[in-house]
Amino acid sequence: MNQLLGYISQSGTAECEKIAARVTAYFEERPAMHASRNGRAVLCELDDGGTILSSARQGHLRLAFTGVLLRPLPPNRSQIPDKGQADSAAYLLSRFLELGYHFLDGIEGQFALAILDAGQNEVLLATDRGGHRSIFMHRSSTMASFSTNLAAMGAVMESPPLLDRSWEDFLLGYEFLPDGRTPLEGVTRIPKGCVVRLSTADSHPIQANTIAPPLDKSVLIDEKTVVDKLYDTFMDVVSEISRNSDRVAVLLGGFDSALIAAALVRLGKKVETFTFRFPESGFTQAHTDTLQDYLGHDHVWVDITPEIIVNGLDAYEQAFNQPVGQMHYLIQSAHACCLMRGHGHLHCLTGDGCDEVFLGYPTVHARATFFQKIGVLPKWLVGCFLAVLSLRLVEDYLGHVARFLRNLVTISGRSMPVRGHISSRIFDSVSLSRLRKGSNPSQAEDTEESLVRLARGLEHLTPIRLAYLGKSAVGLNKTKVEGCTAASGLTLQSPFQHPRIVALARALPDHLLRPEGQSASNAPGKHVLMRMAEIKNLLPPEIIYQAKASPVRAPVDAWYASDLKQHLLDTINKLPFPVDQTYINGLLRPRLAEKIFRKRIGLGHYASHAASLIVTYARVVHRCPKSG
């Protein structure tokens, strides 16, 4: 495991040994402990010898770093030697000694770091300005604690944190919590792009990360210009993020990751691709053999079975920081990364984020288009539809489809920009009332009010851009990368999340990504990216224009109803509230309506989002005592 933890306490050395024992018990491995002389400031490092975590020391300062730095670095500064990740910590520590709190100005990357100042009994915490990595923090009157792993916060606190259920309705609806909140009482996520100073007296955030200027959009108006600019930028970025290795692994899915493999081969890298394979037919990625014949690279099949899901679920909270409705995808990805490590790889590239920045996700586009075409339904009509769809018999018969339809009707009663922003919901008030037995916890804010607040200031976005921004709010890719790298020790990067690619994609007019006239129901998006791949001869047409297939697709609905059912039921019993067993059994029971949904509507070809969300919620919070 690869994690950073620590604390500042008024207790000194006695606290140090107690915390070390807790961390060891939680992760089943002892961390490296670095402390000030009086033992009041402590930094714990869990490092399995991979490339994702590095540290450096100079005098009374120790900097521990997890993640990756990106080029170009700020001008007129010494460059990072191309010897690997170990130099990142030393480079940042030298910048801190030179620039103080502004040592991250102009620095790009995906990282979290901690600096132990043993002389001052202080710790500085920081994450990248994109918020791709997390550090969680808690303060009491005598202790300040932090961790890159949410569930491990209890190991570095005076006592395990209480569970905070005051945002539970929002979390079980939308899979995330806004404003840096967590389901642990008093535990917050530090702000992205900030340096936070922890001492025994206080914690103080210091904004210390500048933002690069935007691109000039006026030069990106015709396809030829954009294709040339996109190709040069893409190849530069792939070269940059693979600079430390001549041998690179690619987690292969569809077009996005195939394009990365093609770029690596063109750069002269030795490429090995890894693809999920399932015992059931119809779920394995198409055109894998076609790509291998075209590029001549090595390929490894990653066989996924119910046993792998069970093992990953039992250790879920040690790697992943957030409950999700696609736990199988995260677990499969972590398993694949550990397999890559076993094959001797230290670096992996993925296509994560491509659909978000280049307007892929056909279902997101279809939904945004649908809500542009219909007006705001009157409240009385919304109420009538919801009354029918909320009948117990309707959900018993339709399952996920009933919850899906209730969400569509609810959204239809909202106005822009709220209706076009965060639109995917798993549990609503009706399903939560059936799930939870006994009294429901009082909520800090009404869910609808939260959505209105989160959409405030987004009126300037086009409906399509607004929809994709809302899709990214869940942070599935971030959660995946954090957990996979923590579990495997690999660096896991995507060119499509690089600031240069993101800035370029955001500067493009919508018609170059989704030309007018394409059917909203099946348009793959990413038009100019596909044209670039074709014009520059990176990939053959059958791979470029293959049908879109979601990377989360897997036969998990059938597994949840059979092989995994008892294990899921046992995990659900760890939830912080009693559940209606009849309703839980219904969540895991196959239905004809859900079969049609998987085949005709859901790109992921599964409908067990609700079951996944509550079992991962149970894993993340099951160690916490209930408040009150």
Side-chain angles (χ1 to χ4, degrees):
M1 195 60 64
N2 299 269
Q3 303 282 5
L4 300 177
L5 311 91
Y7 63 90
I8 293 178
S9 172
Q10 296 179 1
S11 302
T13 305
E15 193 76 26
C16 185
E17 285 305 313
K18 183 170 65 174
I19 296 295
R22 287 182 187 170
V23 174
T24 302
Y26 177 79
F27 287 106
E28 298 181 345
E29 56 183 289
R30 185 173 177 84
M33 306 286 289
H34 308 281
S36 58
R37 288 185 178 180
N38 57 17
R40 292 186 175 181
V42 176
L43 173 60
C44 311
E45 300 173 19
L46 283 163
D47 182 3
D48 69 359
T51 56
I52 197 65
L53 195 147
S54 60
S55 59
R57 180 179 178 180
Q58 188 164 342
H60 55 83
L61 297 176
R62 183 178 184 88
L63 186 148
F65 170 94
T66 179
V68 290
L69 293 183
L70 302 176
R71 290 187 174 184
L73 294 168
N76 303 319
R77 303 293 180 192
S78 59
Q79 301 297 294
I80 301 177
D82 282 333
K83 297 179 182 178
Q85 281 295 103
D87 295 302
S88 298
Y91 173 74
L92 290 176
L93 184 55
S94 68
R95 280 181 58 87
F96 177 71
L97 290 169
E98 178 186 0
L99 302 173
Y101 294 138
H102 288 275
F103 73 114
L104 294 179
D105 283 359
I107 294 290
E108 299 283 7
Q110 299 181 7
F111 58 84
L113 63 86
I115 302 177
L116 170 67
D117 187 336
Q120 298 296 322
N121 286 322
E122 291 183 350
V123 172
L124 299 178
L125 308 174
T127 60
D128 64 89
R129 68 179 180 88
H132 295 98
R133 298 277 173 161
S134 302
I135 299 181
F136 303 95
M137 182 179 71
H138 178 273
R139 281 207 59 87
S140 70
S141 59
T142 60
M143 193 172 189
S145 308
F146 65 91
S147 173
T148 52
N149 179 250
L150 176 61
M153 281 296 297
V156 287
M157 293 170 55
E158 292 172 293
S159 58
L162 298 176
L163 180 64
D164 180 4
R165 298 182 61 197
S166 64
W167 288 86
E168 188 174 87
D169 286 9
F170 192 96
L171 178 61
L172 294 183
Y174 298 101
E175 304 179 68
F176 77 101
L177 288 178
D179 310 317
R181 293 182 175 88
T182 76
L184 310 186
E185 191 172 286
V187 176
T188 58
R189 193 188 307 261
I190 73 168
K192 62 184 181 181
C194 283
V195 176
V196 175
R197 185 181 69 224
L198 291 182
S199 69
T200 53
D202 63 3
S203 60
H204 183 59
I206 306 160
Q207 189 71 34
N209 212 333
T210 58
I211 298 176
L215 287 177
D216 180 6
K217 297 183 180 182
S218 63
V219 301
L220 302 174
I221 54 176
D222 67 275
E223 183 178 283
K224 183 182 184 306
T225 301
V226 171
V227 163
D228 290 341
K229 176 71 172 177
L230 185 56
Y231 176 76
D232 291 341
T233 304
F234 181 72
M235 294 301 295
D236 284 349
V237 166
V238 174
S239 176
E240 172 194 329
I241 65 179
S242 63
R243 68 185 184 274
N244 288 327
S245 180
D246 292 328
R247 184 169 177 261
V248 184
V250 176
L251 186 56
L252 186 64
F255 161 71
D256 309 340
S257 50
L259 183 61
I260 296 169
L264 288 167
V265 170
R266 183 164 292 186
L267 290 168
K269 303 289 185 178
K270 182 173 177 55
V271 177
E272 193 168 26
T273 56
F274 293 74
T275 306
F276 303 138
R277 181 169 62 183
F278 304 93
E280 293 82 352
S281 62
F283 292 94
T284 301
Q285 175 64 43
H287 297 297
T288 303
D289 294 339
T290 305
L291 181 67
Q292 190 174 14
D293 291 341
Y294 187 79
L295 297 180
H297 65 283
D298 295 329
H299 180 69
V300 177
W301 288 106
V302 182
D303 290 309
I304 304 298
T305 63
E307 290 73 23
I308 287 172
I309 305 301
V310 166
N311 294 335
L313 177 59
D314 286 346
Y316 182 87
E317 71 277 12
Q318 290 189 355
F320 300 105
N321 290 322
Q322 190 169 311
V324 296
Q326 307 89 356
M327 72 164 181
H328 62 279
Y329 176 53
L330 272 61
I331 291 170
Q332 291 167 194
S333 299
H335 174 72
C337 288
C338 290
L339 183 62
M340 293 172 192
R341 180 80 183 274
H343 278 240
H345 288 284
L346 299 176
H347 307 282
C348 173
L349 301 189
T350 77
D352 292 338
C354 184
D355 285 298
E356 293 175 6
V357 299
F358 285 97
L359 306 189
Y361 293 131
T363 53
V364 175
H365 184 263
R367 186 178 299 187
T369 303
F370 173 76
F371 286 120
Q372 287 181 74
K373 292 180 178 179
I374 68 167
V376 177
L377 297 184
K379 290 184 178 180
W380 68 268
L381 187 56
V382 171
C384 290
F385 282 134
L386 290 179
V388 174
L389 291 170
S390 299
L391 293 173
R392 183 179 294 265
L393 181 64
V394 173
E395 186 165 350
D396 287 344
Y397 183 72
L398 298 180
H400 176 77
V401 178
R403 297 187 290 274
F404 177 81
L405 291 175
R406 284 202 303 265
N407 185 45
L408 286 183
V409 171
T410 301
I411 294 172
S412 299
R414 298 171 183 157
S415 58
M416 291 293 283
V418 183
R419 69 158 26 186
H421 187 215
I422 300 172
S423 57
S424 295
R425 188 172 191 174
I426 297 181
F427 285 100
D428 56 16
S429 59
V430 175
S431 51
L432 285 174
S433 67
R434 294 193 62 190
L435 170 69
R436 297 185 295 217
K437 293 180 66 175
S439 59
N440 293 328
S442 60
Q443 298 298 290
E445 184 176 54
D446 178 76
T447 298
E448 289 295 319
E449 293 177 0
S450 300
L451 295 174
V452 170
R453 180 170 55 81
L454 292 173
R456 196 169 293 136
L458 302 178
E459 295 83 0
H460 65 287
L461 295 176
T462 66
I464 301 301
R465 298 278 182 172
L466 182 64
Y468 284 91
L469 179 64
K471 172 71 174 177
S472 67
V474 174
L476 179 65
N477 285 333
K478 170 185 174 177
T479 302
K480 167 190 163 182
V481 171
E482 284 183 330
C484 289
T485 56
S488 69
L490 295 179
T491 63
L492 188 62
Q493 299 182 76
S494 170
F496 303 111
Q497 293 177 330
H498 192 285
R500 292 176 62 193
I501 297 290
V502 171
L504 177 56
R506 288 177 177 171
L508 298 177
D510 288 2
H511 73 269
L512 287 179
L513 300 174
R514 284 185 170 273
E516 297 179 4
Q518 289 193 41
S519 171
S521 62
N522 58 20
K526 303 176 283 190
H527 171 76
V528 75
L529 189 67
M530 293 179 171
R531 290 286 293 151
M532 182 270 284
E534 183 177 30
I535 292 170
K536 301 299 182 180
N537 297 313
L538 283 167
L539 292 170
E542 58 266 37
I543 292 179
I544 297 172
Y545 298 106
Q546 64 181 297
K548 172 66 177 175
S550 172
V552 306
R553 64 187 302 181
V556 291
D557 283 2
W559 293 355
Y560 287 2
S562 54
D563 303 64
L564 299 179
K565 183 174 181 179
Q566 188 56 53
H567 198 80
L568 295 184
L569 292 174
D570 292 342
T571 305
I572 287 170
N573 286 331
K574 300 178 185 293
L575 282 167
F577 49 80
V579 298
D580 185 311
Q581 292 296 333
T582 301
Y583 187 72
I584 293 297
N585 287 327
L587 290 180
L588 303 176
R589 175 169 56 85
R591 296 175 174 85
L592 176 61
E594 293 176 342
K595 181 179 180 180
I596 296 172
F597 175 89
R598 290 194 298 269
K599 187 175 182 180
R600 301 293 184 186
I601 302 175
L603 188 63
H605 289 214
Y606 77 105
S608 49
H609 310 68
S612 172
L613 183 58
I614 58 175
V615 295
T616 51
Y617 179 49
R619 290 301 314 183
V620 169
V621 304
H622 76 94
R623 298 172 187 264
C624 298
K626 300 177 185 178
S627 60

